Amino acid sequence: MNRRALLAAAALPIAAPARAQAWPDRPIRIVVPFAAGGPSDIVVRLLAPRLSATLGQPIVVDNRAGAGGVTGVDAVAKAAPDGYTIGIGSAGGLAISPRLDRGTPYDPLRDLAPLTLGVLVPEPLVVPAALPFRTVADLVAAAKAQPGRLNYGSAGSGSMPHLAGELFRMAAGIEITHVSYRGGAPLALAILQNEVQLGFADLPILLPHIRAGGLRALAVGTQQRLEWIPDVPTMAEVGLPTVDANNWHGFVAPARVPQPILDRLHAALAGALNDPDIRRALHDQGAIPGGNSAADFGAFLRAELDKWGGVIQRAGVRAD
């Protein structure tokens, strides 16, 4: 090795930390893969002032809606790995769409670096309050008595409510018919009006109708009961422990971002998510705040990919 090569090699271990120490020296962009006003957008905008104060740079929210969250996540996967672009992805974009027949232009395990879980959004099983079903056992008995007669709604083929419905159908051993709607709000209205007789959807969408008495929640897919609806049992309590169905939104960065920068991004995000005021604001939205380690979020992401990939394969789910 000549003298020039030796000097270049000696400089490498010093140069990388120097770049990390200089970061950030300009605004940081957070890509939200949905339109303004949605759950991911609300989370990011609640965190942005705290992140800006911690990192000393403005936070730019970049809404990149399209393809059920895939367009925005793809923008993050293809961004320069310099720490100036990160994103928040939903269960759909990070764990479901990659396992559907159409796939995604990115591999979430290869092309993205997990940072932390942003929020967990429970998905209660609800029925119209006008129907006589008061327990999951009542619903299952009716479905078994008349196979295929009861309809369940979803927010679109391949959506979390669709897969939650399929997981419930398989676990309960019943035949129910899927009806697809364009989004969570139309789905909630369809259940309310008894167009479909049951369905799963994000708690923030359902909670006003549950509290008003139009919808009846029969069970929740979380490990513990929810304080918003404390009288509603978990799926494990009603004998269906495998029906673990929750939506979620988590923060990711492009793969190959230097580890020191990833560590600072994680610390800033986890610090914001553990701020009492921010946690209270997220709770008021019907979400369970995250803020776990990058390793734990990475393990969670892998488990979700495996779980929903298995449901998609067993149920033969196809995208719209």
Side-chain angles (χ1 to χ4, degrees):
M1 185 179 290
N2 59 32
R3 184 170 181 273
R4 181 179 297 176
L6 284 170
L7 288 173
L12 285 175
I14 299 171
R19 288 195 297 272
Q21 289 170 6
W23 182 93
D25 60 5
R26 54 189 170 89
I28 296 167
R29 178 175 64 134
I30 302 182
V31 177
V32 175
F34 298 100
S40 296
D41 187 71
I42 290 171
V43 172
V44 170
R45 292 181 191 276
L46 278 172
L47 268 58
R50 170 69 184 263
L51 294 174
S52 181
T54 300
L55 296 171
Q57 292 293 334
I59 301 296
V60 178
V61 181
D62 183 3
N63 294 93
R64 296 281 193 98
V70 169
T71 300
V73 174
D74 189 44
V76 177
K78 291 180 168 56
D82 54 13
Y84 290 101
T85 297
I86 64 172
I88 185 169
S90 68
L94 291 174
I96 294 175
S97 289
R99 294 295 184 257
L100 288 170
D101 53 305
R102 66 187 175 197
T104 53
Y106 52 83
D107 180 328
L109 300 180
R110 181 194 64 210
D111 301 325
L112 296 165
L115 290 169
T116 189
L117 178 68
V119 291
L120 188 76
V121 183
E123 297 264 317
L125 169 63
V126 296
V127 297
L131 294 183
F133 312 130
R134 297 198 170 272
T135 66
V136 170
D138 291 342
L139 178 62
V140 170
K144 288 184 175 180
Q146 295 182 304
R149 178 150 186 194
L150 294 182
N151 299 320
Y152 79 95
S154 82
S157 294
S159 65
M160 175 60 75
H162 181 195
L163 295 192
E166 286 298 304
L167 187 59
F168 173 66
R169 178 186 65 78
M170 291 186 290
I174 57 178
E175 292 181 31
I176 50 179
T177 303
H178 174 229
V179 180
S180 177
Y181 292 88
R182 292 188 175 274
L187 165 61
L189 183 61
I191 303 171
L192 193 66
Q193 296 177 342
N194 198 20
E195 289 181 13
V196 291
Q197 289 70 56
L198 65 141
F200 292 80
D202 287 2
L203 177 65
I205 294 172
L206 298 177
L207 194 56
H209 302 297
I210 295 171
R211 287 175 170 167
L215 294 177
R216 181 181 299 120
L218 300 185
V220 296
T222 46
Q223 294 182 358
Q224 290 85 33
R225 292 193 182 201
L226 302 174
E227 57 183 288
W228 299 274
I229 43 176
D231 295 333
V232 178
T234 66
M235 284 289 182
E237 288 180 286
V238 301
L240 299 172
T242 60
V243 185
D244 177 9
N246 300 283
N247 204 353
W248 50 267
H249 304 270
F251 288 93
V252 292
R256 298 178 300 280
V257 171
Q259 191 61 47
I261 294 178
L262 290 176
D263 291 343
R264 291 188 64 188
L265 283 166
H266 173 267
L269 287 164
L273 285 162
N274 283 290
D275 177 274
D277 291 336
I278 291 175
R279 293 184 74 84
R280 192 174 305 110
L282 292 171
H283 176 274
D284 290 345
Q285 296 289 331
I288 300 172
N292 58 354
S293 71
D296 285 345
F297 180 48
F300 173 79
L301 176 57
R302 288 190 293 274
E304 288 284 285
L305 281 160
D306 289 343
K307 177 173 72 177
W308 296 121
V311 172
I312 288 165
Q313 184 176 29
R314 295 196 309 273
V317 173
R318 300 181 65 84
D320 280 329

